[in-house]
Amino acid sequence: IAAGNSDNKLIAWNDTYRKMLGFSDDFLQVGTSLIDLNLDLAKRGVYGSERGDEIAREIIASFSNRKPTRGEMRVGDQAYDVIATPTEDGGLVVTYTDVTERRRSEVALRHQTELLRLTQDNIDQGLILVDPDDQIVLFNNRACELLDIPEEVFRDRPNIHDIIAYQVSQGDFKD
């Protein structure tokens, strides 16, 4: 956590803030310009290498809009959710929450989801997954081919009973 006054000067911070953002003890002083803090982060590549200074100045400019702002920043291998909240006296409080593990989990989940999609799209068997409420939650194209049911029928995630009714209406089940 860090706090600035209405002149965009640093007035308070905790040691976690200093360590997270890699500031030295002598760099962080009461009265240090928030612009200088953000330019230091830009110089170290936190905002990317091409537009770092510009982004640092945009961040400072956003403080004057007097609305809470939220973003994400990376420092090394760490990812932080950053929330800047204006105070009644014209200052602001900025909180940093480490979201590194959440981001890693999201990446792993996207990878697993893509692996599942590739698997279901490339197996020879038809696949239909039905939840406890009889809703179809997953299907593959092979199931559509084997059952001779257009993919659009499955896309709306129908109830399995709707699929059976569709098959009956198509004459798939004979007496």
Side-chain angles (χ1 to χ4, degrees), residues 65-85:
N65 73 14
R66 307 301 307 141
K67 294 179 183 170
T69 58
R70 184 177 200 158
E72 190 170 303
M73 70 185 295
R74 291 192 150 296
V75 180
D77 292 339
Q78 301 299 115
Y80 299 100
D81 181 40
V82 182
I83 301 173
T85 306

Side-chain angles (χ1 to χ4, degrees), residues 35 38-39 41-42 45-63 72-73:
I35 293 172
N38 279 280
L39 289 174
L41 291 170
V46 170
Y47 303 131
S49 58
E50 293 182 18
R51 295 183 46 234
D53 287 356
E54 182 182 339
I55 292 170
R57 293 184 192 286
E58 288 172 7
I59 289 169
I60 294 300
S62 74
F63 295 162
E72 190 170 303
M73 70 185 295

Side-chain angles (χ1 to χ4, degrees), residues 111-123:
H111 175 75
Q112 290 298 323
T113 300
E114 180 63 12
L115 186 60
L116 174 62
R117 188 193 64 74
L118 287 170
T119 301
Q120 78 185 35
D121 288 347
N122 290 291
I123 60 174

Side-chain angles (χ1 to χ4, degrees), residues 4-66:
N5 64 18
S6 59
D7 295 326
N8 289 329
K9 303 287 184 186
L10 185 66
I11 57 173
W13 64 93
N14 63 13
D15 200 45
T16 302
Y17 168 79
R18 182 190 65 75
K19 290 177 183 174
M20 274 187 340
L21 298 181
F23 292 125
S24 64
D25 286 328
D26 59 328
F27 184 68
L28 287 182
Q29 302 292 321
V30 170
T32 300
S33 164
L34 298 180
I35 293 172
D36 290 342
L37 292 175
N38 279 280
L39 289 174
D40 181 74
L41 291 170
K43 184 171 64 176
R44 290 188 279 133
V46 170
Y47 303 131
S49 58
E50 293 182 18
R51 295 183 46 234
D53 287 356
E54 182 182 339
I55 292 170
R57 293 184 192 286
E58 288 172 7
I59 289 169
I60 294 300
S62 74
F63 295 162
S64 64
N65 73 14
R66 307 301 307 141

Side-chain angles (χ1 to χ4, degrees), residues 75-143:
V75 180
D77 292 339
Q78 301 299 115
Y80 299 100
D81 181 40
V82 182
I83 301 173
T85 306
T87 59
E88 290 181 15
D89 64 357
L92 75 149
V93 174
V94 184
T95 59
Y96 297 79
T97 304
D98 190 338
V99 293
T100 306
E101 285 306 313
R102 182 180 346 151
R103 293 296 172 255
R104 287 180 183 147
S105 295
E106 289 169 354
V107 167
L109 179 60
R110 279 193 301 275
H111 175 75
Q112 290 298 323
T113 300
E114 180 63 12
L115 186 60
L116 174 62
R117 188 193 64 74
L118 287 170
T119 301
Q120 78 185 35
D121 288 347
N122 290 291
I123 60 174
D124 287 333
Q125 295 78 21
L127 177 67
I128 299 174
L129 182 63
V130 180
D131 73 9
D133 296 322
D134 292 337
Q135 291 301 124
I136 295 176
V137 295
L138 183 83
F139 69 95
N140 67 357
N141 290 337
R142 186 69 175 136

